Amino acid sequence: MRMIIDTDAGVDDAEAILLALMHPDVQIEAITTVCGNVSLVHVIPNVFTTLDVMKRSIPVYRGASGPLIADWSPEPFHGADGLGNYAARLPFLQCKPLLESEVAALALIRLANAYPGELTLVALAPMTNIALATRLDPSFPGKIKRLVFMGGATSAMGNTVNIAAEWNIFCDPEAAYIVLSSFPQATMISWEATLRHPLLWAQYDALSALTSPAAQFFEATSRLACQTREGMGLLIPDPLAMAVALDPSLVRASQQHYVTVELGGRHTRGQTVIDHERRLGHEPSVEIVTEIDMAGVFGLFERALALE
């Protein structure tokens, strides 16, 4: 599998990247960065920190530093650095010499042209880079083999100040609107699916007890999110999207619908709108994942974090 990862490099992004890096059947062609959980000032070092832990070298591209139109401010849930305050324990990471000179949107287009019909694009962040690539080259969506994204809310159960909107879509609603209007097919891991599929605390403890560098990184970066141990377990939105991208057989149930994004509304801007009865006149274009094999997801984590 040839893969591109588009990320805003929060804690769960790093976990998702780990799963892909350690999968034997995946070749990561590029990691593109975008603001979302935190600004690019933190996103880019977080990506390189994750790669450094895994002793891997992957081309990394600077993407959009802000949404297409929307105002934006970082999400404090992942700590000041977006990585559970992990970076505070590290020496300063000079990323500029390590970054590719090409910007993310152009890299996406170039790679899609180099590998038409071969690339799995995993979107773990606001879709600004992907929307820019789509606008620059309208043929771009048709050259992507599969788009898997973490984002949206299927029943208006959002996690932002706009109560019906999920964070990734809320950060750049226009970008999400462009992408969902342009891609012929996509797979969606919603916020509700995230809430229904946590990593159980016993599973988290088992993974944290492993001794590999990846496992130690996993425990250190997730420590902040685990302080209160609320609910049944640790929420893993981005790793769920990555798991489904890596192994589509993990999807136990899904629905096919046309999905668009509300761009107005005092409480609903950024809401993903599901056309359940095909009243908008569009063909279904999004596979909305509703049930995931969590034993399989844990197995992916266990294999990835057990490798020295």
Side-chain angles (χ1 to χ4, degrees):
M1 180 188 299
R2 294 185 184 275
M3 179 179 289
I4 299 175
I5 303 172
D6 191 64
T7 179
D8 55 351
V11 170
D12 57 325
D13 298 69
E15 295 165 354
I17 292 169
L18 287 178
L19 293 182
L21 287 171
M22 302 307 290
H23 198 286
D25 299 326
V26 172
Q27 180 171 325
I28 304 175
E29 300 291 345
I31 298 176
T32 52
T33 60
V34 64
C35 82
N37 287 316
V38 285
S39 71
L40 287 184
V41 170
H42 295 298
V43 172
I44 292 170
N46 289 351
V47 170
F48 280 112
T49 295
T50 305
L51 293 175
D52 185 63
V53 167
M54 305 309 299
K55 296 180 170 54
R56 294 289 297 276
S57 178
I58 306 289
V60 179
Y61 299 86
R62 178 187 297 275
S65 60
L68 297 179
I69 295 173
D71 293 329
W72 171 83
S73 58
E75 166 57 55
F77 177 80
H78 293 272
D81 63 354
L83 208 57
N85 296 328
Y86 181 85
R89 299 189 286 268
L90 299 174
F92 177 73
L93 182 62
Q94 176 57 264
C95 296
K96 189 173 181 181
L98 304 175
L99 271 174
E100 302 295 321
S101 59
E102 190 176 27
V103 297
L106 295 181
L108 288 170
I109 293 169
R110 176 178 55 79
L111 289 166
N113 287 328
Y115 306 109
E118 296 184 47
L119 292 168
T120 296
L121 175 54
V122 185
L124 308 175
M127 297 188 191
T128 316
N129 291 332
I130 303 170
L132 288 169
T134 299
R135 282 293 189 249
L136 287 167
D137 180 2
S139 70
F140 167 72
K143 296 172 184 173
I144 298 297
K145 179 179 181 179
R146 188 173 183 225
L147 170 64
V148 180
F149 71 96
M150 190 284 130
T154 55
S155 56
M157 188 183 293
N159 60 348
T160 70
V161 293
N162 284 14
I163 58 175
E166 176 276 332
W167 176 258
N168 282 344
I169 307 298
F170 168 78
C171 283
D172 197 340
E174 282 75 19
Y177 178 88
I178 290 169
V179 171
L180 293 176
S181 299
S182 303
F183 271 74
Q185 189 64 39
T187 298
M188 171 179 171
I189 306 298
S190 68
W191 181 242
E192 290 92 338
T194 298
L195 294 174
R196 290 194 300 269
H197 298 88
L199 194 64
L200 300 178
W201 290 122
Q203 295 174 324
Y204 170 79
D205 290 339
L207 295 174
S208 297
L210 297 172
T211 59
S212 71
Q216 293 172 1
F217 180 68
F218 167 80
E219 189 279 329
T221 55
S222 58
R223 192 178 300 159
L224 181 65
C226 295
Q227 284 181 347
T228 60
R229 291 219 169 195
E230 294 177 347
M232 294 176 58
L234 178 67
L235 297 182
I236 51 169
D238 289 342
L240 289 177
M242 182 60 74
V244 167
L246 294 171
D247 186 357
S249 71
L250 294 175
V251 177
R252 289 287 181 83
S254 63
Q255 301 172 356
Q256 287 279 349
H257 295 294
Y258 179 75
V259 180
T260 188
V261 179
E262 174 59 48
L263 300 180
R266 179 179 177 185
H267 300 299
T268 58
R269 175 170 158 78
Q271 177 183 345
T272 41
V273 179
I274 317 298
D275 186 8
H276 291 279
E277 299 181 353
R278 298 180 67 171
R279 295 168 61 183
L280 296 177
H282 296 282
E283 291 295 317
S285 57
V286 177
E287 178 191 19
I288 301 171
V289 175
T290 56
E291 186 177 341
I292 302 170
D293 175 4
M294 288 307 292
V297 173
F298 175 70
L300 283 176
F301 265 106
E302 193 172 38
R303 288 189 291 275
L305 300 187
L307 293 172
E308 294 289 344

